[in-house]
């Protein structure tokens, strides 16, 4: 019973962090670049890549940072350390971005992130990538965990080429069951990280297939 009450305490705080950014649970907002279909043959590992983060990605990073901070600092000493560690570990805001950038860097000769489209156009990279990310984590009102990562590729003239993507959705209802042992609850919460990792592995496979086609 005590573990359940403690869990409810931190979950209520995590729910507050999520509710402040409710728009994240919606569909990905459209990128600023128009989808004029080009040729996948124009993607080569010798090319330079300029990356733009969509508005949705920036909002999603803020959402993860708030969730992660609340898991790390909220209700200190009032929650079993294994459960707290699971919340912290499974909401790492750097996990997906580090993975996605590493994937792109392994596929192209150089990868640079730009603050805006004007700066990117001035740099004139061979390929432009609009990166969209979306995460949905556990709250008192949500037991659906999602991770979705999409990289849309454009040529130097901003004509759409193709996209690499990974997406996983999982229902995690049993976290809220009373009288469960802390290790079991922690294992359920860790599924949030597993969902991210599975979606990122899908993204890797999609990107590799795209490069082979090019």
């Amino acid at each position: 019973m005590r573990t359940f009450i403690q869990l409810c305490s931190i979950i209520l705080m995590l729910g507050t962090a999520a509710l402040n950014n409710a728009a994240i649970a919606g569909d990905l907002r459209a990128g600023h670049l128009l989808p004029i279909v080009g040729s996948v043959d124009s993607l080569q590992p010798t090319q330079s890549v300029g990356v733009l983060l969509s508005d949705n990605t920036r909002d999603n990073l803020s959402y993860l940072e708030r969730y992660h901070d609340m898991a790390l600092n909220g209700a200190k000493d009032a929650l079993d350390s294994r459960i707290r560690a699971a919340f912290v570990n499974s909401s790492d805001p750097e996990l997906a971005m580090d993975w996605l950038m590493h994937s792109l860097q392994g596929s192209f000769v150089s990868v640079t992130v730009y603050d805006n489209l004007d700066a990117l156009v001035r740099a004139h990279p061979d390929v432009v990538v609009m990166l969209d990310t979306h995460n949905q984590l556990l709250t008192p009102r949500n037991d659906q965990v999602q991770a979705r990562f999409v990289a849309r590729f454009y040529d130097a003239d901003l004509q759409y080429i193709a996209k690499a993507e990974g997406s996983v959705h999982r229902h995690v209802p049993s976290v809220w069951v009373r009288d469960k042992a802390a290790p079991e609850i922690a294992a359920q919460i860790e599924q949030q990280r597993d969902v991210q990792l599975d979606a990122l592995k899908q993204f890797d496979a999609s990107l590799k297939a795209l490069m082979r086609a090019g």
Side-chain angles (χ1 to χ4, degrees):
M1 176 64 75
R2 181 172 180 270
T3 297
F4 181 77
I5 293 171
Q6 292 172 336
L7 178 62
C8 287
S9 174
I10 194 168
I11 286 299
L12 285 171
M13 288 185 290
L14 292 174
T16 301
L19 288 172
N20 288 339
N21 198 41
I24 296 300
D27 292 333
L28 289 173
R29 289 198 287 269
H32 298 298
L33 306 179
L34 296 177
I36 304 172
V37 178
S39 171
V40 72
D41 294 339
S42 59
L43 291 179
Q44 300 296 330
T46 56
Q47 292 171 317
S48 61
V49 171
V51 178
L52 288 175
L53 304 183
S54 70
D55 290 342
N56 185 77
T57 297
R58 295 180 189 279
D59 287 345
N60 187 63
L61 286 171
S62 295
Y63 161 67
L64 288 175
E65 287 166 0
R66 288 197 299 273
Y67 192 104
H68 186 73
D69 182 69
M70 191 64 71
L72 193 62
N73 299 308
K76 280 193 172 181
D77 304 320
L79 187 66
D80 184 279
S81 60
R82 291 160 292 187
I83 296 175
R84 179 183 295 282
F87 275 120
V88 172
N89 189 49
S90 65
S91 61
D92 181 359
E94 298 180 2
L95 171 65
M97 291 304 300
D98 286 348
W99 184 300
L100 294 169
M101 293 306 298
H102 181 74
S103 293
L104 291 171
Q105 289 163 353
S107 299
F108 297 94
V109 69
S110 70
V111 178
T112 305
V113 179
Y114 293 90
D115 290 335
N116 54 66
L117 182 59
D118 289 340
L120 184 147
V121 169
R122 287 195 299 271
H124 202 68
D126 299 317
V127 177
V128 175
V129 172
M130 176 68 79
L131 193 58
D132 264 310
T133 67
H134 168 82
N135 292 90
Q136 182 171 309
L137 302 179
L138 295 167
T139 74
R141 296 186 175 126
N142 174 63
D143 54 15
Q144 308 293 322
V145 179
Q146 298 181 40
R148 183 168 62 240
F149 309 109
V150 183
R152 294 181 175 86
F153 291 83
Y154 301 80
D155 65 19
D157 296 320
L158 302 186
Q159 290 193 339
Y160 177 76
I161 300 171
K163 67 180 177 180
E165 59 185 329
S167 180
V168 174
H169 172 274
R170 190 173 300 171
H171 185 212
V172 188
S174 55
V175 171
W176 321 119
V177 176
R178 289 178 180 270
D179 300 324
K180 294 189 72 171
E184 190 176 0
I185 294 172
Q188 290 294 106
I189 295 167
E190 280 285 0
Q191 290 188 47
Q192 297 191 128
R193 186 178 180 89
D194 295 339
V195 166
Q196 280 204 72
L197 291 174
D198 288 346
L200 289 165
K201 290 172 185 176
Q202 284 186 16
F203 178 89
D204 273 354
S206 179
L207 179 56
K208 288 175 181 175
L210 199 60
M211 297 306 295
R212 284 197 299 270

